[in-house]
Amino acid sequence: MNQVLLHRLKELPTDLQAEVLDFIEFLLQKKRIAEQGGRAGVKNQEPYLMEKRQKPFKNKQPKLGSGKGTFTMKPGFDEPLDDFAAYM
């Protein structure tokens, strides 16, 4: 198993090898947390994981009228289509 993993890892480009390393570290951290019987806070995380942490996404509500003028509808857009004439 170890030989297969190493062989496959060597086939990957450097940037994907870094992603594999990050994922392995994530799994190890998850295992440590489970063994401790708790959840990880920010203080418990490794420093290299903190560097890649992005700012949390804030769900912003759009303002009314913010999409005005971004699209137009042609006259007669709600008229029946000729393709559906047989069904009417």
Side-chain angles (χ1 to χ4, degrees):
M1 177 81 167
N2 290 339
Q3 296 294 346
V4 175
L5 285 173
L6 289 174
H7 178 69
R8 296 286 183 165
L9 186 61
K10 289 178 183 177
E11 292 178 353
L12 293 174
T14 307
D15 58 329
L16 292 179
Q17 288 179 4
E19 285 188 42
V20 170
L21 177 62
D22 285 345
F23 186 66
I24 290 171
E25 295 299 332
F26 165 75
L27 291 175
L28 290 172
Q29 181 182 16
K30 186 176 174 182
K31 179 181 173 241
R32 283 191 300 266
I33 293 166
E35 289 171 352
Q36 294 172 359
R39 295 184 58 172
V42 174
K43 295 177 184 177
N44 295 338
Q45 294 183 356
E46 302 288 339
Y48 57 85
L49 293 176
M50 291 301 295
E51 291 174 8
K52 293 191 175 192
R53 181 177 292 277
Q54 297 178 354
K55 294 180 181 177
F57 177 74
K58 294 183 180 177
N59 191 5
K60 296 182 180 178
Q61 293 290 344
K63 295 181 182 177
L64 294 175
S66 63
K68 187 175 183 178
T70 57
F71 64 92
T72 58
M73 293 188 193
K74 294 182 180 180
F77 78 95
D78 57 347
E79 297 296 322
L81 298 174
D82 295 335
D83 296 339
F84 295 111
Y87 301 105
M88 296 182 159

